[in-house]
Amino acid sequence: MKLKIVEYPDKRLKQKSLKVTKFDNELHGLLDAMNPMMINTNGIGLAAIQVGVALEILVLNIPDEEGEQPPENLIEMINPILSDKKGETTYQEGCLSVPEFYEDIHRFETLHVNYQDRDGNTHELKADGLLSIAIQHEVDHLNGILFIDKLTSSRRRKFEKEYKKMLKEKKSTTQKV
Ligand code: QAP
Ligand code: CO
């Protein structure tokens, strides 16, 4: 399966994802393609809508103390449901779908998540730290929400200006002669 990252301002990123009902080979193929895509693009989290699939699927691999992301640390979450969201934390977030832009975003500090794995088995997890932030960021994608949607209006305007400039520069440097 060949995947491509969907980048802002692509409208698909506003789409709400649907629950997964079939835990079949097609789902496994998608997950097997999303994992290397996330690692090879220096990501720590990726939602299916970021590769154009509007299903409640996300993958996470939070770097360890050495900054490594071994395959055994991979978490695949299908149909996640968040509860017990508590506390407050701020982190400079980025997103593979909003390349080269990072901003401080406020999130809950801890949460509880119920989810299914690739075979449909149910799991639950209490998360804090970067894992908790990443889960909230990725679950937002499933609801059509990007981290830039959480900026104040003045920050958002600054972002739109910078991003447009970046896109223009990118276009001019990739143009064929
Ligand atoms: C979401 O984000 C996240 O701009 C995952 O040029 C963010 O993996 C979870 C990335 C913050 C927790 C905290 C972004 C890679 C990766 C870029 C990512 C870029 C290359 C973002
Ligand atoms: Co993202």
Side-chain angles (χ1 to χ4, degrees):
M1 190 179 287
K2 188 94 177 69
L3 300 180
K4 220 184 139 234
I5 299 280
V6 172
E7 292 183 1
Y8 183 81
D10 195 304
K11 293 263 190 318
R12 285 175 287 177
L13 295 168
K14 284 178 159 297
Q15 238 175 287
K16 255 184 84 75
S17 292
L18 297 174
K19 284 220 152 44
V20 172
T21 55
K22 286 184 289 184
F23 297 82
D24 56 7
N25 281 331
E26 204 178 327
L27 173 69
H28 295 179
L30 175 63
L31 286 164
D32 290 342
M34 283 174 68
N35 293 323
M37 173 63 109
M38 169 176 67
I39 299 298
N40 295 337
T41 52
N42 295 316
I44 64 171
L46 184 68
I49 195 61
Q50 293 182 272
V51 293
V53 178
L55 290 172
E56 292 191 15
I57 299 167
L58 56 93
V59 294
L60 302 159
N61 196 330
I62 306 300
D64 62 20
E65 273 98 283
E66 275 94 59
E68 315 259 299
Q69 295 173 293
E72 61 266 26
N73 289 357
L74 172 74
I75 304 176
E76 296 174 342
M77 287 188 178
I78 321 284
N79 304 332
I81 297 169
L82 304 187
S83 59
D84 215 15
K85 296 179 270 193
K86 287 194 179 118
E88 214 188 281
T89 186
T90 303
Y91 192 86
Q92 192 173 45
E93 297 191 15
C95 180
L96 286 169
S97 295
V98 190
E100 287 159 55
F101 183 79
Y102 307 88
E103 263 291 3
D104 277 0
I105 302 294
H106 307 294
R107 301 278 185 187
F108 296 106
E109 191 171 27
T110 63
L111 56 79
H112 185 97
V113 56
N114 288 79
Y115 64 97
Q116 284 170 284
D117 63 23
R118 59 165 66 207
D119 301 311
N121 300 312
T122 60
H123 297 267
E124 54 183 330
L125 182 72
K126 283 214 173 295
D128 61 14
L130 192 52
L131 177 61
S132 167
I133 295 165
I135 291 170
Q136 292 170 70
H137 178 112
E138 300 310 331
V139 168
D140 269 354
H141 275 300
L142 306 185
N143 293 310
I145 297 165
L146 297 175
F147 80 106
I148 49 170
D149 296 333
K150 298 188 174 282
L151 298 174
T152 61
S153 51
S154 70
R155 280 273 150 198
R156 178 60 179 253
R157 280 196 298 275
K158 188 168 170 274
F159 159 75
E160 295 292 348
K161 204 173 145 198
E162 283 175 11
Y163 196 81
K164 265 192 201 118
K165 186 162 167 256
M166 190 270 287
L167 287 182
K168 213 170 138 188
E169 278 163 10
K170 210 160 146 184
K171 217 172 159 185
S172 72
T173 52
T174 53
Q175 228 161 38
K176 290 196 190 97
V177 277

